[in-house]
Amino acid sequence: MSASHPVELDTLYGEYPLDEAFDEMRQANGGVRAHYRALSDTLARLPEEELQRCKQSADLSFLTQGITFTVYGREEGTERIFPYDLLPRLITAPEWDRVERGLTQRITALNLFLRDVYSDAKILNDKVIPSELVYSCKHYRRQMRGLQVPRNVYIAVVGSDLLRLTTGEFVVLEDNLRVPSGVSYMLTNRRVMKRTFPQLFSSYGVRPIEHYPQLLLSTLRSLAPEGRPEPNIVLLTPGVFNSAYFEHTYLARQMGIDLVEGRDLVTHDNIVYMRTTDGLKRVDVIYRRVDDDFSDPLAFRADSSLGCAGLFNAYRAGNVTVTNAFGTGLADDKAIYTYVPKMIRYYLDEDPILPNVETYLLSEDNERRHVLANLDKLVVKAVGESGGYGMLIGPQSTAGQREEFARQIESNPRNYIAQPTLAFSRAPCLIGNHLEPRHVDLRPYILFGDKVNIVPGGLTRVALERGSLVVNSSQGGGSKDTWVLE
Amino acid sequence: MLSRVADSLYWMSRYLERAENTLRQLDVAMGLMLDTGAASPETRWKRLVASLGQDSGLDWNGDLESMAGKLVFDQINQAAVTFCINGARENARQVREEISSEQWQRLNRLFHYIHSPRAQTEFRSNIGDALATVLDGIHLFTGVSAATMIHGPGWQFIRLGRYLERAYATATLLEVYQSDLLQPQEREYAGYQYIEMVGLLRCCTSFEAYCQVYTADVSPDRVLEFLLLNQNFPHAIRFCVDSIRDAVEAIHRGGSRRPSDELTAGIGRLHAMLGFTSIGEILGGDPAAFLHTIREQCLRIHEIIYRYYVHYSIQSALAS
């Protein structure tokens, strides 16, 4: 077969194993799902060299757009493209509708939970959630008790991670309420895909996402303090050494707001100012991409140079809005996560549309015993971590690793939860010149200002290594464009 | 714009101007060393180092290639080309969202080149070509900056850095050379004196421009007049001062504060020194002191810029 003939379907799907995990594109009998047919046909019709050319052109697109991460440490300082896969991940309109309703319900409940816990704590008094669980969470911030937050919106930007189980149903794996990242990759993936597969894109009718920066900006604006009609909105970044710095600059530029670091800010009389060549300029809304701990050396970690001294006092005085609010890490603690369905029932009197993943709370004796006896089958996670760190994947671990985790669990059970290893869904990826399935998750981005806005789709993260279940970018994961169909 | 960002753009620009200055002066000095009649290589080297203003670690060891290599590749001496390019890139990296992607790519490419083994090899095989490659890289960046950056306050801080550095460096150069220029040794042949003056002009990339204004008749007072007082040539100190004044005015037009009196006075003083004096008056007085005053004024202007735009105290900012 010469390089200019289309790739044979067999070659295309050569080593494509199907098992219990839901395959996004293929049914159990090997047939292609209806909504993937156009994609599959296009791939089958493309000559092999054309497919490679598409890949190279996409690579170049990412490179010239600067969607790279620079290895600053090494002398060569090569700019590397953020790992991605060329093939879009498709979601049908009915599937998305359910996800959207489920996430709206969830973020509403989480916001109400935070407001409740940082004021009257009715949900704790009614013993729906154990008080110790809340107060022993290291991200619970006593400073937030009784503090009035604009529009009662504690979490304006949320990234919830969803998995699709063997039944095809979406479930929520975790909520990221502190500084969720990845939105810039979602936006740049879309730009590159439109350039690489323009006909396929238009023939499918994909719901747009490019307005995310506008939505984010209007969300931030809606949270400005009273009496500030032309609010000065800034994005607070830890700076160039932060791995998400590219995203911070990207979003700031797309929104047309200033990107500031802690050292640009000063507070005086409980008002936050930024230091400009034209004198001090008052700041009204801070979109915070710095963790609580590092935001204010007077209120939090004293050794932090990334924040602004006095920021919390200005916040408390209502002179500046900081979002997401401080102390929202409480609600993305993985132990608290297990109570989100209860929160939805308690605050909204509704059944959760999107279920949680079955989770063992290791602070509960009988659950802990069960988990310790079955470490080789379960995934254990530290409650406050993100990025795939502090995690044990039972079936892929060594006895030594399991022993170490058992010790850690025994010494601090509050700090861990366990979940069954899930065979979550896989999507086709272009590996060389053929397709292979890889595990994917979905991270939609939810905005909560004067109303809830969710851009269709979100970031599909891929575990690029064969068999791997870890999709986090910091651990070898990549991303795909997500197409929600009209 | 943010003070921190203005600061970084200003220094990025100053470092690149400094690198260019070192490259040119080194190139000229090496060319002059080929004519050994007028001065020993060691004398020339010492004069070069004096005019660059950073003499640490640059004592003449007799081997021109290794000395030139130091001036190009050293990462500690503040006049060394690599030190300057490191500084420029580091500052640019802090403000990547302010500069265009083309600017960043050019500067990054230049940075990687000068750190590459290839640069070392090319330097050893043909120094002149290697220096030209780096100079080209700097010019590319300057050109791309002018074309792809919005000419707002950020751009004006870049101009401010470039012309302040250039004014200071040129005044330093002239201060070091003026005694040799104006009191030539009796034993020197006219031919050597000519080469020295042309060398000085080439340090400021101004030989051809000079000829356009004065013809090829090169004389010490005309050389000084050209490099000090010419209004139209970009490497003349007068032109630099005018550009500094323009940049500051543009920065103020875009802002809401009234201009700093101190800054206006400082620039005005420098402008008056160069705008209302004739070369006859300068040469009739103490040219060395005149040049020294220019350098001092440049330092003062830099200090005032910092106090007014970058490191102002909160109390004074809130009071105004």
Side-chain angles (χ1 to χ4, degrees), chain B residues 302-316:
Chain B
H302 165 82
E303 194 248 331
I304 299 170
I305 285 170
Y306 255 70
R307 261 193 296 116
Y308 192 66
Y309 294 116
V310 182
H311 287 154
Y312 49 82
S313 75
I314 302 174
Q315 281 71 25
S316 63

Side-chain angles (χ1 to χ4, degrees), chain A residues 103-272:
Chain A
L103 290 173
T104 304
Q105 182 190 55
R106 204 174 168 97
I107 191 180
T108 308
L110 283 168
N111 236 334
L112 290 168
F113 168 70
L114 285 165
R115 175 159 155 231
D116 186 21
V117 164
Y118 283 121
S119 57
D120 301 327
K122 294 202 193 80
I123 199 172
L124 300 180
N125 292 334
D126 288 346
K127 306 240 184 291
V128 176
I129 301 177
S131 317
E132 326 76 82
L133 205 61
V134 169
Y135 297 127
S136 62
C137 175
K138 69 177 184 189
H139 296 294
Y140 173 82
R141 303 286 176 186
R142 293 183 60 217
Q143 302 95 324
M144 290 295 293
R145 275 300 292 270
L147 198 148
Q148 192 62 22
V149 164
R151 291 178 177 269
N152 292 315
V153 172
Y154 286 76
I155 40 181
V157 185
V158 184
S160 287
D161 293 341
L162 307 181
L163 297 179
R164 202 202 284 263
L165 300 181
T166 53
T167 54
E169 178 192 28
F170 277 107
V171 300
V172 179
L173 179 66
E174 67 184 41
D175 305 292
N176 296 292
L177 308 177
R178 280 172 280 163
V179 283
S181 66
V183 107
S184 54
Y185 297 117
M186 173 186 85
L187 293 168
T188 46
N189 275 343
R190 173 59 55 94
R191 270 177 84 174
V192 173
M193 282 300 118
K194 278 167 111 169
R195 222 174 276 172
T196 311
F197 291 123
Q199 280 119 335
L200 190 65
F201 186 85
S202 67
S203 72
Y204 258 118
V206 181
R207 290 179 57 183
I209 58 166
E210 285 83 348
H211 54 299
Y212 179 86
Q214 263 175 284
L215 281 178
L216 178 56
L217 184 62
S218 69
T219 300
L220 294 171
R221 196 172 276 139
S222 72
L223 298 172
E226 295 272 345
R228 302 293 297 170
E230 301 270 354
N232 180 22
I233 306 170
V234 303
L235 198 157
L236 177 63
T237 175
V240 293
F241 297 107
N242 185 276
S243 53
Y245 183 65
F246 159 74
E247 174 153 312
H248 305 161
T249 59
Y250 183 86
L251 286 176
R253 203 179 318 128
Q254 295 285 313
M255 290 193 279
I257 64 176
D258 279 312
L259 183 71
V260 305
E261 295 178 20
R263 54 194 166 135
D264 298 318
L265 301 178
V266 293
T267 53
H268 182 82
D269 279 350
N270 283 335
I271 296 179
V272 180

Side-chain angles (χ1 to χ4, degrees), chain A residues 76 264 268 275-278, chain B residues 1 4 112 256-257 312:
Chain A
E76 320 101 66
D264 298 318
H268 182 82
R275 199 183 262 283
T276 75
T277 53
D278 198 31
Chain B
M1 67 179 330
R4 171 179 58 85
H112 289 307
S256 63
R257 288 191 301 179
Y312 49 82

Side-chain angles (χ1 to χ4, degrees), chain A residues 446-466:
Chain A
I446 310 151
L447 296 171
F448 196 161
D450 44 4
K451 62 189 191 66
V452 176
N453 281 307
I454 311 179
V455 288
L459 189 69
T460 290
R461 299 186 300 172
V462 196
L464 287 172
E465 273 177 67
R466 185 181 301 179

Side-chain angles (χ1 to χ4, degrees), chain B residues 119-193:
Chain B
Q120 300 274 352
T121 317
E122 286 177 6
F123 183 85
R124 275 192 296 277
S125 68
N126 188 326
I127 294 182
D129 281 355
L131 296 182
T133 304
V134 183
L135 202 51
D136 282 349
I138 296 175
H139 287 157
L140 254 162
F141 177 82
T142 309
V144 151
S145 296
T148 64
M149 192 176 176
I150 201 166
H151 286 207
W155 166 249
Q156 299 299 346
F157 273 98
I158 286 180
R159 288 186 70 212
L160 199 51
R162 174 187 308 144
Y163 289 111
L164 201 51
E165 179 74 25
R166 190 178 294 176
Y168 183 83
T170 308
T172 309
L173 173 71
L174 291 177
E175 194 181 331
V176 167
Y177 275 69
Q178 55 84 31
S179 58
D180 287 349
L181 204 62
L182 299 172
Q183 293 108 44
Q185 300 301 309
E186 297 254 346
R187 60 178 173 77
E188 271 185 26
Y189 294 113
Y192 284 130
Q193 234 239 326

Side-chain angles (χ1 to χ4, degrees), chain B residues 108-119 122 130 133-134:
Chain B
N108 202 28
R109 215 170 285 183
L110 181 60
F111 170 84
H112 289 307
Y113 170 74
I114 208 160
H115 283 277
S116 69
R118 202 180 103 219
E122 286 177 6
T133 304
V134 183

Side-chain angles (χ1 to χ4, degrees), chain A residues 38-52:
Chain A
L39 175 63
S40 175
D41 289 345
T42 302
L43 289 173
R45 275 199 313 267
L46 275 178
E48 185 184 325
E49 61 182 15
E50 180 62 21
L51 200 54
Q52 291 309 317

Side-chain angles (χ1 to χ4, degrees), chain A residues 82-85 189 441 459-464 470-473 475-480:
Chain A
F82 193 76
Y84 74 99
D85 179 73
N189 275 343
D441 76 353
L459 189 69
T460 290
R461 299 186 300 172
V462 196
L464 287 172
V470 181
V471 300
N472 304 85
S473 55
Q475 314 230 348
S479 67
K480 277 176 171 297

